[in-house]
Amino acid sequence: MSKKLAAGNWKMNGLAASLAEIDALAGAVKGAGCEVLICPPAILIAQMAAKAKGSNVFVGGQDCHPKVSGAHTGDVAAAMLADAGASHVILGHSERRADHGESDADIRAKAEAAGAAGLVRIICVGETEGERDAGQTLAVIGTQLDGSVPDAATAADTVIAYEPVWAIGTGQVASPEQAQEVCAALRTVIAQTLGEDAAARTRVLYGGSVKAANIASFMREPDVDGALVGGASLVVDEFAAIIRYQKHVGV
Ligand code: PGA
């Protein structure tokens, strides 16, 4: 069983002054039983990585372009993230799927580029409220997973994040049972393509309105291997409490 992962997604939030959060988190992170990752806006990665050096905090990007380089104004290549000090990259977040029309095939191409650059990719999947109400949750996330995870993925280079769209930034958190059901289903799909052993070792995160007050209920579920945290990762005390919880239970 791999260590749990507490990943913070700052989205389009944070200025250079926000990097002080790394110092404030250092105590919480010391000796933590989980891995800790923060994904700030790309422009802060280099500074954050320099600050996080030696602190057990990993730094990641929030997206990358599928190509290595070229005429793609405004985009960032995976190798550029790695060069700036990133070790991970979030791909296929529902906000990117919605705002930028990213398809599963786009996400797979980005995931391949991320892997080639040596980044661990965190591939996000999740259903909308309408899809859940229509009983399509497992079909939707199965299709997303099949379409977006590269065939050569391994437990070491790929993390899956289950993020129901209706729970992101809404305060309308999934129940632990809902998270467990979908994370277990994702692991079953992973087992079909990558094998049982890789599936058991692949980290499957839950994300969507995770906070210090509800982290415990998710981490008790056997197929939830950590959390992808948006809003609460911007509040030092909240994120520190999420990390500390995972330390206390010794997972
Ligand atoms: P939230 O976002 O924690 O603010 O709901 C989660 C995410 O989008 O990764």
Side-chain angles (χ1 to χ4, degrees):
M1 177 64 107
S2 314
K3 270 188 185 177
K4 300 224 179 201
L5 175 63
N9 174 10
W10 280 15
K11 308 191 179 182
M12 198 172 72
N13 296 290
L15 298 170
S18 318
L19 297 171
E21 174 162 336
I22 297 297
D23 298 328
L25 277 177
V29 166
K30 216 174 270 168
C34 63
E35 280 180 11
V36 178
L37 166 70
I38 301 181
C39 299
I43 197 151
L44 292 180
I45 288 174
Q47 289 173 78
M48 186 181 280
K51 228 175 181 342
K53 220 173 185 171
S55 75
N56 296 334
V57 176
F58 291 98
V59 179
Q62 300 175 9
D63 176 51
C64 70
H65 194 278
K67 295 259 169 63
V68 170
S69 62
H72 302 288
T73 302
D75 279 315
V76 175
M80 296 172 184
L81 298 177
D83 190 48
S87 52
H88 295 64
V89 61
I90 298 170
L91 295 173
H93 190 282
S94 64
E95 287 153 14
R96 291 213 55 94
R97 290 178 187 259
D99 295 355
H100 301 271
E102 290 187 7
S103 67
D104 292 334
D106 294 332
I107 294 156
R108 181 198 288 256
K110 290 175 181 221
E112 282 167 356
L119 298 174
V120 175
R121 52 259 166 129
I122 301 177
I123 299 176
C124 303
V125 299
E127 81 288 2
T128 62
E129 190 160 31
E131 289 164 342
R132 174 162 283 272
D133 290 346
Q136 296 169 343
T137 299
L138 299 186
V140 167
I141 57 106
T143 301
Q144 289 175 336
L145 199 71
D146 269 347
S148 55
V149 177
D151 295 338
T154 68
D157 65 22
T158 304
V159 175
I160 307 300
Y162 167 52
E163 296 211 306
V165 178
W166 48 270
I168 295 175
T170 59
Q172 194 194 337
V173 69
S175 70
E177 295 74 23
Q178 287 172 324
Q180 165 60 23
E181 182 196 19
V182 178
C183 290
L186 285 167
R187 207 179 294 285
T188 303
V189 178
I190 297 166
Q192 284 157 6
T193 46
L194 305 185
E196 292 284 346
D197 188 48
R201 285 184 292 107
T202 298
R203 281 183 292 194
V204 182
L205 313 182
Y206 168 75
S209 298
V210 170
K211 301 194 167 23
N214 60 30
I215 183 72
S217 60
F218 291 109
M219 291 309 108
R220 266 186 228 116
E221 297 297 337
D223 284 291
V224 181
D225 301 320
L228 181 52
V229 185
S233 73
L234 297 168
V235 183
V236 177
D237 288 349
E238 277 281 315
F239 198 49
I242 288 168
I243 294 165
R244 269 199 308 272
Y245 169 77
Q246 305 196 40
K247 174 172 153 185
H248 284 151
V249 294
V251 287

